[in-house]
Amino acid sequence: MSAARKIHALTFHLFGLADEDAADELLDDIEEFADGMTWPLGQPDAYKYLEDEADDVVKCAVEFKVRAAIAGSAIEAEKRDFEAAMALIEYLRQLSLSHSLDIEVDFDDETIGSIDKGMFSASLHAGLIEPWAAALAS
């Protein structure tokens, strides 16, 4: 690969939570999951935020650091980062399915795809899920 790998942020924005109590419960679940894993660049940061100060709807996000580079339309990461990152993505996919959530996925603040009620978007699957799963299988 010609592009140099550096530390990037994968951010997962969770939409469709009923209220702030549901957001707190979900963040607790994510933190409990994260506590049980080893993270090469540190544990994911799960937090609440207001997208618009005038809007009182609380949103949640999970930010995860990964060593990666963009190669064409795919994101290539360090193999040692794959396992933890894929475990987090699968965990969030399951939460999306069980809680009927929509999740927008950003790579360094640029949207690269989504998880809609447990289903990966075509762009997320082709650009991140597929190449990372192939690298883990090799």
Side-chain angles (χ1 to χ4, degrees):
M1 177 179 65
S2 60
R5 292 181 179 149
K6 63 180 187 172
I7 296 175
H8 297 273
L10 269 177
T11 307
F12 304 87
H13 299 275
L14 289 66
F15 302 103
L17 296 162
D19 55 31
E20 191 164 353
D21 289 339
D24 289 337
E25 185 177 319
L26 191 65
L27 290 176
D28 288 344
D29 290 346
I30 292 167
E31 288 173 2
E32 185 176 318
F33 164 79
D35 286 344
M37 299 275 305
T38 300
W39 304 96
L41 294 176
Q43 188 166 323
D45 182 23
Y47 56 91
K48 295 186 294 189
Y49 68 98
L50 291 173
E51 194 166 45
D52 182 353
E53 292 298 325
D55 183 10
D56 63 351
V57 177
V58 174
K59 296 182 174 46
C60 293
V62 179
E63 187 171 300
F64 177 69
K65 301 294 184 195
V66 63
R67 285 173 287 249
I70 298 175
S73 63
I75 298 169
E76 295 183 355
E78 292 285 332
K79 191 167 185 170
R80 63 185 168 193
D81 293 349
F82 283 152
E83 189 173 287
M86 290 300 287
L88 176 62
I89 291 167
E90 178 56 25
Y91 181 75
L92 292 173
R93 186 194 71 76
Q94 290 175 14
L95 284 179
S96 170
L97 181 60
S98 65
H99 291 76
S100 296
L101 301 174
D102 295 329
I103 301 174
E104 181 180 282
V105 183
D106 295 348
F107 183 78
D108 285 345
D109 297 324
E110 182 177 328
T111 301
I112 59 169
S114 62
I115 305 170
D116 183 8
K117 295 170 189 62
M119 300 295 295
F120 296 126
S121 67
S123 60
L124 183 64
H125 189 269
L128 187 127
I129 304 300
E130 192 173 90
W132 287 18
L136 279 174
S138 65

